[in-house]
Amino acid sequence: MKILVINAGSSSLKYQLYDMTDESVLAKGLVERIGMDSSIMTHKPTGGQEVTEVKEILEHTTAIRKVLSMLTHPEHGVIKSVDEIQAVGHRVVHGGESFKASALVDSNAKSEIRRLIDLAPLHNPAAMMGITASETNMPGTPMVVVFDTAFHQGMPEKAYLYAIPKVLYNKYKVRRYGFHGTSHEYVSKAAAEHLGQPIEDLKIITCHIGNGGSVTAVLGGCSVDTSMGMTPLEGLMMGTRSGDLDPAVVPFVMNKEELTVNEVNSMLNKHSGLLAISGVSSDMREITDGMANGDANCTLAFEMYEYRLRKYIGSYAAAMNGVDVIVFTAGVGENSIVVREKVCENLTYLGVEIDDALNAIRSGEPRFISTNNSKVKVLVVPTNEELIIARDTFRIVSDSI
């Protein structure tokens, strides 16, 4: 079965085409600036030359049509006909309490995703545009939705409820949902496989840290707590997001600065985090370069970032009454030697012992960075959220035939 994986944003669309015979990627690409007359499409067939086109793509239906055209292109394509694509998997950010697992796209699923737009006003509408555009271009092709929140739906009430009037949960489902679920699920399973141990026997802390970031406590293969909340704003200090803060800060700043709700929301999501403290960048690479050059603000931003990440790891070790494995993944987790080093050197009380030589190795494969004597194993596992989407799509479509 060949499966097309779609990740639609409001003005972008990422795609990968999988051959599930061996789970290989046949091609992948990105359409950017959808809705503009200078849209950019980048297409990369595996083993072939990358192709870039700049032209007008005004909406997602045209974007999907361009993707299918490129996949079947006589020179740059990897399939002869669109009919070879037997299923499509869509990433959807928020499934609320309605979706505890991936699901086949039908009228009920689409209706529920629309109903949940209040919980993800930026992301779920974009996902629906991707689904509708795919259905228009590929009528009759089965489709599956895979949710960022689904992996965390097994959390107990004590972890997902907020200590506010419960009527707000009963009426509006105000609670912790968590995100990056496909990544946390993938890397925790990959870590268990790399260890050669059943995931059911392990206490794992997964650190998905990129421009956005979250930490998850995985007990016996299930998410039992996670740092992001009702929205992706809660938890760690991130590239441009504040992470945890005293809720009273919001009305205080709004009153002092005469900010609207939208303005304070923008401040916390787009103008905080590493960017706000460093005054330089939201990119960890530029932060560490600045720190190496003696920039005091970059140093402070790094120290705050590392400190908060380390505190979450410690709290989740407490939540699970121990930890066997710590996993680093995503852009910062996979590539920042210094972030991993500083976090781990302050976790010796847990029995963490990092190997500096192993930590300095760059690889696209799962690898240990802890010593043989370390009581807690530490791994770097490259994430692969698209593969989880492809696998779920393959399983659900196969079961429905």
Short mmCIF file of all heavy atoms in Angstrom, two decimals, residues 31-87:
data_model
loop_
_atom_site.label_atom_id
_atom_site.label_comp_id
_atom_site.label_asym_id
_atom_site.label_seq_id
_atom_site.Cartn_x
_atom_site.Cartn_y
_atom_site.Cartn_z
N VAL A 31 4.72 22.78 0.29
CA VAL A 31 4.16 23.94 -0.42
C VAL A 31 4.03 25.06 0.60
O VAL A 31 3.37 24.91 1.63
CB VAL A 31 2.78 23.61 -1.03
CG1 VAL A 31 2.29 24.80 -1.85
CG2 VAL A 31 2.86 22.36 -1.90
N GLU A 32 4.67 26.20 0.32
CA GLU A 32 4.66 27.34 1.23
C GLU A 32 3.94 28.54 0.59
O GLU A 32 3.79 28.61 -0.62
CB GLU A 32 6.09 27.76 1.57
CG GLU A 32 6.93 26.68 2.23
CD GLU A 32 8.37 27.10 2.38
OE1 GLU A 32 9.17 26.86 1.45
OE2 GLU A 32 8.70 27.67 3.43
N ARG A 33 3.49 29.46 1.45
CA ARG A 33 2.88 30.71 1.00
C ARG A 33 1.61 30.47 0.18
O ARG A 33 1.36 31.16 -0.80
CB ARG A 33 3.89 31.55 0.22
CG ARG A 33 5.06 32.01 1.06
CD ARG A 33 6.19 32.58 0.20
NE ARG A 33 5.76 33.72 -0.59
CZ ARG A 33 5.73 34.97 -0.17
NH1 ARG A 33 6.13 35.26 1.07
NH2 ARG A 33 5.33 35.95 -0.97
N ILE A 34 0.82 29.47 0.60
CA ILE A 34 -0.46 29.22 -0.07
C ILE A 34 -1.35 30.44 0.12
O ILE A 34 -1.45 31.00 1.22
CB ILE A 34 -1.14 27.96 0.51
CG1 ILE A 34 -0.29 26.72 0.22
CG2 ILE A 34 -2.53 27.77 -0.09
CD1 ILE A 34 -0.78 25.46 0.92
N GLY A 35 -2.01 30.87 -0.95
CA GLY A 35 -2.84 32.06 -0.89
C GLY A 35 -2.15 33.29 -1.44
O GLY A 35 -2.72 34.37 -1.47
N MET A 36 -0.89 33.10 -1.90
CA MET A 36 -0.12 34.22 -2.44
C MET A 36 0.27 33.92 -3.89
O MET A 36 0.29 32.76 -4.32
CB MET A 36 1.12 34.47 -1.59
CG MET A 36 0.81 34.69 -0.12
SD MET A 36 2.31 34.91 0.87
CE MET A 36 1.62 34.78 2.52
N ASP A 37 0.60 34.97 -4.62
CA ASP A 37 0.95 34.75 -6.03
C ASP A 37 2.38 34.26 -6.21
O ASP A 37 2.79 33.91 -7.31
CB ASP A 37 0.72 36.04 -6.85
CG ASP A 37 1.50 37.23 -6.30
OD1 ASP A 37 2.34 37.03 -5.41
OD2 ASP A 37 1.26 38.36 -6.77
N SER A 38 3.14 34.22 -5.12
CA SER A 38 4.53 33.72 -5.19
C SER A 38 4.70 32.52 -4.27
O SER A 38 5.62 32.46 -3.46
CB SER A 38 5.52 34.83 -4.82
OG SER A 38 5.22 35.34 -3.52
N SER A 39 3.79 31.57 -4.38
CA SER A 39 3.88 30.34 -3.58
C SER A 39 5.11 29.54 -4.01
O SER A 39 5.53 29.58 -5.17
CB SER A 39 2.63 29.49 -3.76
OG SER A 39 1.47 30.23 -3.44
N ILE A 40 5.68 28.81 -3.05
CA ILE A 40 6.89 28.03 -3.32
C ILE A 40 6.60 26.56 -3.08
O ILE A 40 6.12 26.18 -2.01
CB ILE A 40 8.06 28.48 -2.41
CG1 ILE A 40 8.32 29.97 -2.56
CG2 ILE A 40 9.32 27.67 -2.72
CD1 ILE A 40 9.25 30.54 -1.50
N MET A 41 6.88 25.74 -4.08
CA MET A 41 6.74 24.30 -3.92
C MET A 41 8.11 23.65 -4.04
O MET A 41 8.84 23.87 -5.02
CB MET A 41 5.81 23.71 -4.97
CG MET A 41 5.66 22.20 -4.82
SD MET A 41 4.46 21.47 -5.92
CE MET A 41 4.49 19.77 -5.31
N THR A 42 8.46 22.85 -3.03
CA THR A 42 9.72 22.11 -3.04
C THR A 42 9.39 20.62 -3.01
O THR A 42 8.65 20.16 -2.13
CB THR A 42 10.59 22.47 -1.82
OG1 THR A 42 10.77 23.88 -1.77
CG2 THR A 42 11.94 21.79 -1.90
N HIS A 43 9.92 19.88 -3.97
CA HIS A 43 9.63 18.44 -4.11
C HIS A 43 10.94 17.68 -4.18
O HIS A 43 11.84 18.04 -4.94
CB HIS A 43 8.81 18.20 -5.39
CG HIS A 43 8.59 16.75 -5.72
ND1 HIS A 43 7.66 15.97 -5.07
CD2 HIS A 43 9.19 15.95 -6.65
CE1 HIS A 43 7.69 14.74 -5.58
NE2 HIS A 43 8.61 14.71 -6.54
N LYS A 44 11.04 16.61 -3.36
CA LYS A 44 12.29 15.83 -3.32
C LYS A 44 11.98 14.33 -3.43
O LYS A 44 11.57 13.69 -2.47
CB LYS A 44 13.03 16.10 -2.00
CG LYS A 44 14.35 15.31 -1.84
CD LYS A 44 15.41 15.82 -2.80
CE LYS A 44 16.79 15.24 -2.49
NZ LYS A 44 16.90 13.79 -2.73
N PRO A 45 12.15 13.76 -4.64
CA PRO A 45 12.03 12.30 -4.75
C PRO A 45 13.24 11.63 -4.12
O PRO A 45 14.37 12.13 -4.25
CB PRO A 45 11.98 12.07 -6.26
CG PRO A 45 12.63 13.27 -6.87
CD PRO A 45 12.46 14.41 -5.92
N THR A 46 13.03 10.55 -3.40
CA THR A 46 14.15 9.87 -2.75
C THR A 46 15.16 9.40 -3.79
O THR A 46 14.81 8.72 -4.75
CB THR A 46 13.63 8.66 -1.94
OG1 THR A 46 12.72 9.14 -0.94
CG2 THR A 46 14.78 7.93 -1.26
N GLY A 47 16.40 9.82 -3.61
CA GLY A 47 17.46 9.45 -4.55
C GLY A 47 17.50 10.32 -5.79
O GLY A 47 18.35 10.13 -6.66
N GLY A 48 16.59 11.30 -5.88
CA GLY A 48 16.54 12.17 -7.05
C GLY A 48 16.85 13.61 -6.72
O GLY A 48 17.15 13.96 -5.58
N GLN A 49 16.76 14.45 -7.73
CA GLN A 49 17.09 15.86 -7.60
C GLN A 49 15.92 16.63 -7.00
O GLN A 49 14.77 16.42 -7.37
CB GLN A 49 17.43 16.43 -8.98
CG GLN A 49 17.99 17.84 -8.96
CD GLN A 49 19.41 17.91 -8.41
OE1 GLN A 49 20.18 16.96 -8.54
NE2 GLN A 49 19.74 19.02 -7.77
N GLU A 50 16.21 17.53 -6.06
CA GLU A 50 15.17 18.39 -5.50
C GLU A 50 14.70 19.39 -6.54
O GLU A 50 15.51 19.96 -7.28
CB GLU A 50 15.70 19.12 -4.27
CG GLU A 50 14.67 19.97 -3.55
CD GLU A 50 15.19 20.55 -2.26
OE1 GLU A 50 15.26 19.80 -1.26
OE2 GLU A 50 15.54 21.75 -2.26
N VAL A 51 13.39 19.60 -6.59
CA VAL A 51 12.80 20.51 -7.56
C VAL A 51 12.07 21.63 -6.81
O VAL A 51 11.34 21.37 -5.85
CB VAL A 51 11.78 19.78 -8.46
CG1 VAL A 51 11.23 20.71 -9.53
CG2 VAL A 51 12.41 18.56 -9.10
N THR A 52 12.28 22.88 -7.24
CA THR A 52 11.59 24.02 -6.63
C THR A 52 10.87 24.81 -7.70
O THR A 52 11.43 25.11 -8.75
CB THR A 52 12.59 24.93 -5.89
OG1 THR A 52 13.26 24.18 -4.87
CG2 THR A 52 11.87 26.10 -5.24
N GLU A 53 9.61 25.14 -7.42
CA GLU A 53 8.81 25.95 -8.33
C GLU A 53 8.20 27.13 -7.57
O GLU A 53 7.79 26.98 -6.42
CB GLU A 53 7.67 25.13 -8.95
CG GLU A 53 8.10 24.14 -10.00
CD GLU A 53 6.90 23.49 -10.70
OE1 GLU A 53 5.75 23.81 -10.31
OE2 GLU A 53 7.12 22.68 -11.61
N VAL A 54 8.14 28.28 -8.20
CA VAL A 54 7.48 29.45 -7.63
C VAL A 54 6.35 29.85 -8.57
O VAL A 54 6.58 30.15 -9.74
CB VAL A 54 8.46 30.64 -7.46
CG1 VAL A 54 7.73 31.84 -6.89
CG2 VAL A 54 9.63 30.24 -6.57
N LYS A 55 5.12 29.79 -8.07
CA LYS A 55 3.97 30.16 -8.88
C LYS A 55 2.77 30.44 -7.98
O LYS A 55 2.84 30.24 -6.77
CB LYS A 55 3.65 29.06 -9.89
CG LYS A 55 3.23 27.74 -9.28
CD LYS A 55 3.06 26.67 -10.36
CE LYS A 55 2.11 27.10 -11.45
NZ LYS A 55 1.96 26.11 -12.50
N GLU A 56 1.69 30.88 -8.56
CA GLU A 56 0.49 31.22 -7.78
C GLU A 56 -0.25 29.95 -7.35
O GLU A 56 -0.62 29.12 -8.17
CB GLU A 56 -0.43 32.10 -8.62
CG GLU A 56 -1.69 32.54 -7.91
CD GLU A 56 -2.58 33.40 -8.78
OE1 GLU A 56 -3.33 32.84 -9.60
OE2 GLU A 56 -2.51 34.63 -8.65
N ILE A 57 -0.45 29.81 -6.03
CA ILE A 57 -1.27 28.73 -5.47
C ILE A 57 -2.17 29.40 -4.43
O ILE A 57 -1.72 29.74 -3.35
CB ILE A 57 -0.42 27.61 -4.84
CG1 ILE A 57 0.49 26.97 -5.89
CG2 ILE A 57 -1.33 26.56 -4.19
CD1 ILE A 57 1.41 25.90 -5.32
N LEU A 58 -3.43 29.61 -4.78
CA LEU A 58 -4.30 30.45 -3.97
C LEU A 58 -5.02 29.71 -2.86
O LEU A 58 -5.50 30.33 -1.92
CB LEU A 58 -5.30 31.19 -4.86
CG LEU A 58 -4.68 32.22 -5.82
CD1 LEU A 58 -5.76 32.90 -6.64
CD2 LEU A 58 -3.85 33.25 -5.06
N GLU A 59 -5.17 28.38 -2.97
CA GLU A 59 -5.83 27.65 -1.89
C GLU A 59 -5.36 26.19 -1.89
O GLU A 59 -4.62 25.76 -2.76
CB GLU A 59 -7.36 27.77 -1.97
CG GLU A 59 -7.94 27.79 -3.36
CD GLU A 59 -7.96 26.44 -4.01
OE1 GLU A 59 -8.45 25.50 -3.39
OE2 GLU A 59 -7.47 26.32 -5.14
N HIS A 60 -5.80 25.45 -0.85
CA HIS A 60 -5.26 24.12 -0.60
C HIS A 60 -5.64 23.11 -1.67
O HIS A 60 -4.88 22.16 -1.93
CB HIS A 60 -5.72 23.62 0.77
CG HIS A 60 -5.01 24.28 1.92
ND1 HIS A 60 -5.16 25.62 2.21
CD2 HIS A 60 -4.12 23.80 2.83
CE1 HIS A 60 -4.40 25.94 3.25
NE2 HIS A 60 -3.78 24.86 3.66
N THR A 61 -6.81 23.28 -2.32
CA THR A 61 -7.20 22.34 -3.38
C THR A 61 -6.19 22.39 -4.51
O THR A 61 -5.78 21.33 -5.04
CB THR A 61 -8.61 22.69 -3.90
OG1 THR A 61 -9.54 22.65 -2.82
CG2 THR A 61 -9.05 21.71 -4.97
N THR A 62 -5.75 23.58 -4.89
CA THR A 62 -4.73 23.72 -5.92
C THR A 62 -3.40 23.15 -5.44
O THR A 62 -2.67 22.53 -6.21
CB THR A 62 -4.56 25.20 -6.30
OG1 THR A 62 -5.83 25.74 -6.66
CG2 THR A 62 -3.60 25.36 -7.47
N ALA A 63 -3.09 23.36 -4.16
CA ALA A 63 -1.83 22.84 -3.61
C ALA A 63 -1.78 21.31 -3.70
O ALA A 63 -0.76 20.74 -4.12
CB ALA A 63 -1.67 23.29 -2.16
N ILE A 64 -2.87 20.65 -3.31
CA ILE A 64 -2.92 19.19 -3.40
C ILE A 64 -2.81 18.74 -4.85
O ILE A 64 -2.11 17.76 -5.17
CB ILE A 64 -4.21 18.64 -2.76
CG1 ILE A 64 -4.21 18.87 -1.24
CG2 ILE A 64 -4.40 17.15 -3.08
CD1 ILE A 64 -3.28 17.98 -0.46
N ARG A 65 -3.49 19.46 -5.74
CA ARG A 65 -3.42 19.11 -7.16
C ARG A 65 -1.98 19.21 -7.67
O ARG A 65 -1.51 18.36 -8.45
CB ARG A 65 -4.34 20.01 -7.97
CG ARG A 65 -4.44 19.61 -9.43
CD ARG A 65 -5.67 20.20 -10.10
NE ARG A 65 -5.63 21.67 -10.15
CZ ARG A 65 -6.48 22.45 -9.50
NH1 ARG A 65 -7.44 21.93 -8.74
NH2 ARG A 65 -6.38 23.76 -9.58
N LYS A 66 -1.25 20.25 -7.21
CA LYS A 66 0.16 20.39 -7.59
C LYS A 66 1.01 19.26 -7.03
O LYS A 66 1.92 18.75 -7.70
CB LYS A 66 0.69 21.74 -7.11
CG LYS A 66 0.35 22.92 -7.97
CD LYS A 66 0.96 22.82 -9.36
CE LYS A 66 2.49 22.71 -9.31
NZ LYS A 66 3.07 22.52 -10.66
N VAL A 67 0.73 18.85 -5.79
CA VAL A 67 1.47 17.75 -5.18
C VAL A 67 1.26 16.48 -5.98
O VAL A 67 2.23 15.76 -6.32
CB VAL A 67 1.01 17.53 -3.71
CG1 VAL A 67 1.54 16.21 -3.17
CG2 VAL A 67 1.45 18.70 -2.84
N LEU A 68 0.03 16.17 -6.33
CA LEU A 68 -0.27 14.96 -7.10
C LEU A 68 0.36 15.02 -8.48
O LEU A 68 0.86 14.01 -9.00
CB LEU A 68 -1.78 14.76 -7.20
CG LEU A 68 -2.52 14.55 -5.87
CD1 LEU A 68 -4.02 14.45 -6.09
CD2 LEU A 68 -2.01 13.29 -5.16
N SER A 69 0.35 16.21 -9.07
CA SER A 69 0.97 16.39 -10.38
C SER A 69 2.48 16.13 -10.31
O SER A 69 3.06 15.50 -11.21
CB SER A 69 0.70 17.81 -10.89
OG SER A 69 1.40 18.05 -12.10
N MET A 70 3.10 16.59 -9.23
CA MET A 70 4.55 16.39 -9.09
C MET A 70 4.87 14.93 -8.80
O MET A 70 5.87 14.39 -9.29
CB MET A 70 5.08 17.29 -7.98
CG MET A 70 6.60 17.41 -7.96
SD MET A 70 7.31 18.14 -9.45
CE MET A 70 6.99 19.88 -9.16
N LEU A 71 4.04 14.27 -7.99
CA LEU A 71 4.28 12.85 -7.68
C LEU A 71 4.16 11.96 -8.91
O LEU A 71 4.76 10.88 -8.95
CB LEU A 71 3.29 12.39 -6.60
CG LEU A 71 3.51 12.94 -5.19
CD1 LEU A 71 2.35 12.56 -4.28
CD2 LEU A 71 4.82 12.42 -4.59
N THR A 72 3.38 12.40 -9.90
CA THR A 72 3.20 11.62 -11.13
C THR A 72 3.94 12.22 -12.32
O THR A 72 3.75 11.80 -13.46
CB THR A 72 1.70 11.51 -11.48
OG1 THR A 72 1.14 12.83 -11.59
CG2 THR A 72 0.94 10.74 -10.39
N HIS A 73 4.78 13.20 -12.07
CA HIS A 73 5.52 13.89 -13.13
C HIS A 73 6.43 12.90 -13.88
O HIS A 73 7.09 12.05 -13.25
CB HIS A 73 6.37 15.01 -12.52
CG HIS A 73 6.96 15.95 -13.50
ND1 HIS A 73 8.12 15.68 -14.20
CD2 HIS A 73 6.56 17.20 -13.92
CE1 HIS A 73 8.41 16.69 -14.99
NE2 HIS A 73 7.48 17.62 -14.84
N PRO A 74 6.49 13.00 -15.21
CA PRO A 74 7.30 12.04 -15.99
C PRO A 74 8.78 12.02 -15.59
O PRO A 74 9.42 10.97 -15.64
CB PRO A 74 7.14 12.54 -17.43
CG PRO A 74 5.90 13.36 -17.44
CD PRO A 74 5.76 13.93 -16.07
N GLU A 75 9.30 13.18 -15.17
CA GLU A 75 10.72 13.26 -14.83
C GLU A 75 10.96 13.21 -13.32
O GLU A 75 11.86 12.51 -12.85
CB GLU A 75 11.31 14.56 -15.39
CG GLU A 75 12.81 14.69 -15.16
CD GLU A 75 13.37 15.98 -15.75
OE1 GLU A 75 12.61 16.71 -16.45
OE2 GLU A 75 14.56 16.27 -15.49
N HIS A 76 10.16 13.92 -12.56
CA HIS A 76 10.40 14.06 -11.12
C HIS A 76 9.49 13.19 -10.26
O HIS A 76 9.65 13.14 -9.04
CB HIS A 76 10.24 15.52 -10.70
CG HIS A 76 11.01 16.48 -11.54
ND1 HIS A 76 12.40 16.43 -11.64
CD2 HIS A 76 10.60 17.51 -12.34
CE1 HIS A 76 12.80 17.39 -12.45
NE2 HIS A 76 11.74 18.06 -12.89
N GLY A 77 8.53 12.54 -10.87
CA GLY A 77 7.56 11.76 -10.12
C GLY A 77 8.10 10.41 -9.67
O GLY A 77 9.17 9.96 -10.09
N VAL A 78 7.32 9.76 -8.80
CA VAL A 78 7.72 8.45 -8.27
C VAL A 78 6.63 7.40 -8.46
O VAL A 78 6.82 6.24 -8.13
CB VAL A 78 8.08 8.56 -6.76
CG1 VAL A 78 9.34 9.38 -6.57
CG2 VAL A 78 6.93 9.15 -5.96
N ILE A 79 5.48 7.83 -8.99
CA ILE A 79 4.40 6.90 -9.32
C ILE A 79 3.86 7.28 -10.70
O ILE A 79 4.03 8.42 -11.14
CB ILE A 79 3.26 6.91 -8.27
CG1 ILE A 79 2.74 8.33 -8.04
CG2 ILE A 79 3.71 6.27 -6.97
CD1 ILE A 79 1.54 8.42 -7.12
N LYS A 80 3.21 6.31 -11.37
CA LYS A 80 2.69 6.57 -12.71
C LYS A 80 1.31 7.19 -12.68
O LYS A 80 0.95 7.94 -13.59
CB LYS A 80 2.67 5.26 -13.51
CG LYS A 80 4.06 4.72 -13.82
CD LYS A 80 3.98 3.46 -14.65
CE LYS A 80 5.39 2.93 -14.97
NZ LYS A 80 5.33 1.68 -15.77
N SER A 81 0.54 6.87 -11.63
CA SER A 81 -0.83 7.34 -11.57
C SER A 81 -1.23 7.64 -10.13
O SER A 81 -0.75 6.98 -9.20
CB SER A 81 -1.78 6.29 -12.16
OG SER A 81 -3.13 6.57 -11.84
N VAL A 82 -2.11 8.61 -9.97
CA VAL A 82 -2.64 8.91 -8.64
C VAL A 82 -3.36 7.71 -8.05
O VAL A 82 -3.42 7.54 -6.82
CB VAL A 82 -3.59 10.13 -8.71
CG1 VAL A 82 -4.28 10.37 -7.37
CG2 VAL A 82 -2.83 11.38 -9.13
N ASP A 83 -3.88 6.84 -8.90
CA ASP A 83 -4.58 5.64 -8.43
C ASP A 83 -3.69 4.72 -7.60
O ASP A 83 -4.19 3.86 -6.86
CB ASP A 83 -5.15 4.85 -9.62
CG ASP A 83 -6.26 5.62 -10.34
OD1 ASP A 83 -6.86 6.49 -9.69
OD2 ASP A 83 -6.51 5.33 -11.53
N GLU A 84 -2.36 4.88 -7.73
CA GLU A 84 -1.44 4.07 -6.92
C GLU A 84 -1.47 4.46 -5.45
O GLU A 84 -1.04 3.69 -4.59
CB GLU A 84 -0.01 4.19 -7.45
CG GLU A 84 0.22 3.55 -8.81
CD GLU A 84 1.67 3.63 -9.24
OE1 GLU A 84 2.55 3.36 -8.38
OE2 GLU A 84 1.93 3.97 -10.41
N ILE A 85 -1.94 5.67 -5.15
CA ILE A 85 -2.06 6.11 -3.75
C ILE A 85 -3.34 5.52 -3.19
O ILE A 85 -4.44 5.88 -3.59
CB ILE A 85 -2.09 7.65 -3.65
CG1 ILE A 85 -0.81 8.25 -4.25
CG2 ILE A 85 -2.25 8.08 -2.20
CD1 ILE A 85 -0.82 9.76 -4.35
N GLN A 86 -3.19 4.59 -2.27
CA GLN A 86 -4.35 3.82 -1.79
C GLN A 86 -4.97 4.39 -0.52
O GLN A 86 -6.04 3.95 -0.10
CB GLN A 86 -3.93 2.37 -1.58
CG GLN A 86 -3.59 1.66 -2.89
CD GLN A 86 -2.77 0.42 -2.68
OE1 GLN A 86 -1.56 0.49 -2.43
NE2 GLN A 86 -3.41 -0.73 -2.75
N ALA A 87 -4.30 5.35 0.11
CA ALA A 87 -4.85 5.97 1.31
C ALA A 87 -4.10 7.26 1.61
O ALA A 87 -2.96 7.46 1.16
CB ALA A 87 -4.75 5.03 2.51
#
